[in-house]
């Protein structure tokens, strides 16, 4: 299987983990794992996420703060060596559980962002994620 095919399968698993079942992390996350998040406004210490179980716990906790949370691919994955880059967007209904100023119960929100995944032996071993709230959905939406 090519690196591009592997990246596409892992990205599908990544979306499954975020959209359907956090336990999908056990199918895609390597035995050693690191996640990198922006520090401004972070609600979790990324150094606590070192394996699939911790990733599943984080995803479950995050997604449980919203209703109808759904992530979709806007572009990618684009593969460069052991890295896969995807641009995504997400939509959700706020429940007022995050502490964010924009998290007003019932408010519809959209995020756009980019995830970079480092792949080794068919698993994700490192991830960088960056997202921001927007009022405009990507054109592919």
């Amino acid at each position: 299987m090519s690196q591009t095919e592997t990246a596409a399968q892992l990205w599908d698993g990544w979306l499954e983990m975020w959209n359907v079942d956090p336990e999908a992390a056990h199918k895609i996350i390597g035995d050693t794992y690191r996640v990198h998040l922006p520090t401004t406004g972070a609600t979790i210490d990324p150094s606590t996420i070192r394996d699939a179980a911790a990733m599943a716990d984080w995803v479950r906790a995050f997604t449980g703060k919203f209703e109808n949370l759904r992530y979709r691919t806007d572009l990618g994955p684009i593969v460069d060596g052991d890295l896969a880059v995807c641009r995504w967007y997400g939509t959700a209904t706020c429940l007022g559980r995050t502490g964010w100023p924009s998290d007003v119960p019932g408010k519809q929100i959209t995020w756009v962002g980019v995830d970079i995944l480092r792949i080794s032996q068919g698993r994700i071993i490192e991830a960088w994620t960056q997202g921001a709230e927007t009022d405009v959905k990507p054109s592919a939406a």
Side-chain angles (χ1 to χ4, degrees):
M1 179 178 308
S2 74
Q3 189 73 340
T4 299
E5 291 169 323
T6 299
Q9 287 181 346
L10 288 171
W11 182 252
D12 287 346
W14 188 259
L15 291 179
E16 177 186 354
M17 176 184 69
W18 282 101
N19 289 332
V20 179
D21 181 10
E23 292 302 313
H26 295 279
K27 297 187 289 189
I28 62 170
I29 301 296
D31 292 336
T32 60
Y33 178 69
R34 291 188 66 193
V35 64
H36 306 276
L37 304 169
T39 55
T40 303
T43 58
I44 188 167
D45 176 1
S47 71
T48 64
I49 305 170
R50 293 293 187 195
D51 59 22
M55 186 67 179
D57 289 346
W58 174 47
V59 169
R60 187 176 297 103
F62 183 81
T63 59
K65 295 177 182 183
F66 301 93
E67 185 174 87
N68 301 319
L69 178 63
R70 183 82 179 154
Y71 289 100
R72 294 171 182 87
T73 304
D74 188 38
L75 176 70
I78 299 168
V79 177
D80 184 7
D82 65 348
L83 298 175
V85 179
C86 294
R87 186 177 182 327
W88 52 264
Y89 68 98
T91 56
T93 302
C94 294
L95 296 174
R97 296 180 181 164
T98 65
W100 301 342
S102 63
D103 187 0
V104 177
K107 179 182 176 185
Q108 300 292 311
I109 59 171
T110 299
W111 294 280
V112 295
V114 172
D115 286 352
I116 303 169
L117 310 175
R118 183 177 307 280
I119 300 167
S120 178
Q121 299 178 358
R123 297 287 182 132
I124 301 167
I125 61 167
E126 195 166 11
W128 293 262
T129 187
Q130 176 69 53
E133 194 174 326
T134 182
D135 291 331
V136 181
K137 288 184 184 175
S139 60

